[in-house]
Amino acid sequence: MVKIIKPGLLTTIQDLGRYGFQKFGVIVSGVMDSLSHRIANLLVGNEENAPTLEITMVGPVIEFERDTLISICGGDLSPSIDGKFVPLWRPVFVKKGSQLRFGQCKAGCRSYLAVAGGFDVPRVMGSASTYLRAGIGGFKGRPLKTGDELKLSPPNNRSVQMIHDFSTKIGDQKFVATKWSVSTEFIPISNKIPSIRVIKGRQYQLFSKESQKSFFREPFEITTQSDRMGYRLKGSVLSLTSTEEMISEAVNFGTIQVPPDGNPIVLLADRQTTGGYPKIGQVATVDLPYIAQLKPGDKIKFVEVSHEEAQRLYLEREREIQQLKRALSIKWKGEM
């Protein structure tokens, strides 16, 4: 059992999303940063789609009511137990009764907390993800609140062995972490203005030549009118060569629409199922985690990439994750 002492700004249970129901108007939802979510689960021996806590900007205070294995990946929100920093991107064994706290948001803006076995919540339409506007999924269809108690699913044999190995080494400490961690190549956070790779959208040719140049040349800033549904950007105003009536069509995670005011919107995890604004671009799947770790006030630049190159980058990242899974299996067989 995990008890929520303080909920933080926005803490929800998410998995990789609710697919197959968009034709009925039900959005996909799911985690914003799928890379961090997947790796956090792998580090504690879970399947990649096991529910995690998505923690945004200001983190919660969580008390663990049993010995457990956790991993925190994604943004650095200064996690600590008993006043000591909890390292990211690695397995961490936590003793019963310990309280995990989050502090200053140092890098990125979303952390993912995975626990061995995953959070035991009902699946709605095949997913544990919280769909906030509809009030379904996750824990009672809402963000976590003070006093909530989350059940944990039983850990698998691999996780049980890891917990046993850790428990023999922890001594009087509240927690103990592995000396090794995931390569920094996986961390979707940049200290400079990130260059987000984008494929030209279906209506790219409808925009003026100057707007096309500005889109790939000038930086844009994420405004405060941004949430899990989409990031509203400000920068060069993008304009069409002529006004056209459009039929609404399907949109995806990373679709970049341009409404009549000329300021683009990057659609995200809680995006609507269809959109009627012209689409100037589509963020390459491999760069979606970088977008997810940006917050209001951050700036981004768009870099053109071909459809073929975007596919190559995606397949390369998936091969790297498979290599990580194999490496973790070797690590678990050796000394922690």
Side-chain angles (χ1 to χ4, degrees):
M1 187 80 73
V2 169
K3 186 173 183 178
I4 305 301
I5 308 302
K6 291 183 180 179
L9 178 64
L10 179 63
T11 305
T12 59
I13 289 180
Q14 302 288 349
D15 59 17
L16 292 177
R18 185 171 287 107
Y19 287 91
F21 299 94
Q22 287 177 280
K23 61 186 176 182
F24 303 115
V26 179
I27 67 172
V28 174
S29 201
V31 291
M32 288 278 282
D33 176 357
S34 62
L35 179 64
S36 296
H37 163 90
R38 293 169 68 188
I39 292 177
N41 271 321
L42 292 175
L43 287 170
V44 296
N46 291 346
E47 295 297 324
E48 296 177 33
N49 195 39
T52 62
L53 289 189
E54 181 177 86
I55 299 164
T56 305
M57 297 288 288
V58 179
V61 178
I62 300 171
E63 184 172 306
F64 296 92
E65 298 186 351
R66 78 180 193 197
D67 291 352
T68 192
L69 187 68
I70 71 169
S71 179
I72 304 170
C73 295
D76 183 356
L77 306 187
S78 305
S80 66
I81 293 176
D82 201 25
K84 297 180 180 179
F85 175 72
V86 177
L88 309 178
W89 299 94
R90 67 191 73 198
V92 180
F93 176 75
V94 180
K95 266 187 176 179
K96 175 183 178 181
S98 300
Q99 287 192 354
L100 172 65
R101 298 173 178 270
F102 291 83
Q104 180 184 358
C105 180
K106 292 183 176 180
C109 68
R110 290 180 174 86
S111 279
Y112 293 84
L113 171 65
V115 298
F119 294 95
D120 183 8
V121 295
R123 268 49 173 182
V124 178
M125 288 177 261
S127 173
S129 285
T130 308
Y131 177 5
L132 293 172
R133 285 180 171 84
I136 62 173
F139 186 80
K140 300 182 180 179
R142 59 168 172 76
L144 299 184
K145 296 180 180 180
T146 298
D148 285 344
E149 294 185 340
L150 309 179
K151 294 180 180 179
L152 305 181
S153 299
N156 59 32
N157 292 338
R158 182 169 54 192
S159 300
V160 169
Q161 184 60 49
M162 294 169 67
I163 291 170
H164 175 266
D165 292 343
F166 271 119
S167 65
T168 62
K169 303 175 182 180
I170 192 168
D172 295 330
Q173 302 174 82
K174 291 285 188 179
F175 72 93
V176 62
T178 60
K179 295 178 181 179
W180 52 268
S181 66
V182 170
S183 169
T184 56
E185 294 178 2
F186 284 104
I187 301 176
I189 297 170
S190 176
N191 292 324
K192 56 184 180 180
I193 298 177
S195 295
I196 302 299
R197 288 165 285 200
V198 170
I199 305 162
K200 289 179 180 177
R202 280 171 55 85
Q203 288 80 39
Y204 178 82
Q205 297 301 328
L206 298 182
F207 289 86
S208 67
K209 294 295 182 183
E210 186 59 34
S211 293
Q212 292 176 3
K213 291 178 182 179
S214 296
F215 180 68
F216 286 118
R217 180 192 301 161
E218 304 296 330
F220 290 86
E221 182 178 325
I222 298 173
T223 72
T224 55
Q225 293 177 297
S226 300
D227 56 18
R228 280 177 46 90
M229 187 174 182
Y231 285 170
R232 290 183 176 270
L233 309 180
K234 67 177 181 181
S236 297
V237 175
L238 307 178
S239 59
L240 300 170
T241 54
S242 61
T243 303
E244 293 193 17
E245 289 293 329
M246 286 184 53
I247 297 175
S248 292
E249 55 189 21
V251 293
N252 205 349
F253 198 152
T255 295
I256 305 173
Q257 292 188 317
V258 182
D261 66 4
N263 293 305
I265 302 171
V266 184
L267 301 182
L268 303 173
D270 282 353
R271 63 197 176 277
Q272 69 274 24
T273 57
T274 62
Y277 295 137
K279 297 181 285 297
I280 194 169
Q282 171 67 46
V283 176
T285 300
V286 73
D287 280 353
L288 292 176
Y290 288 89
I291 286 277
Q293 290 295 343
L294 298 174
K295 54 187 178 294
D298 288 342
K299 293 185 177 181
I300 56 175
K301 286 185 177 179
F302 295 120
V303 177
E304 183 182 353
V305 67
S306 68
H307 192 193
E308 292 74 19
E309 178 65 5
Q311 287 181 321
R312 187 192 68 78
L313 291 167
Y314 171 74
L315 293 173
E316 181 180 326
R317 171 51 54 86
E318 289 304 305
R319 283 193 293 269
E320 291 171 348
I321 292 175
Q322 294 305 312
Q323 290 172 357
L324 172 63
K325 291 171 73 171
R326 290 192 291 270
L328 288 174
S329 296
I330 295 171
K331 285 285 186 184
W332 290 327
K333 292 177 182 177
E335 182 178 355
M336 290 289 179

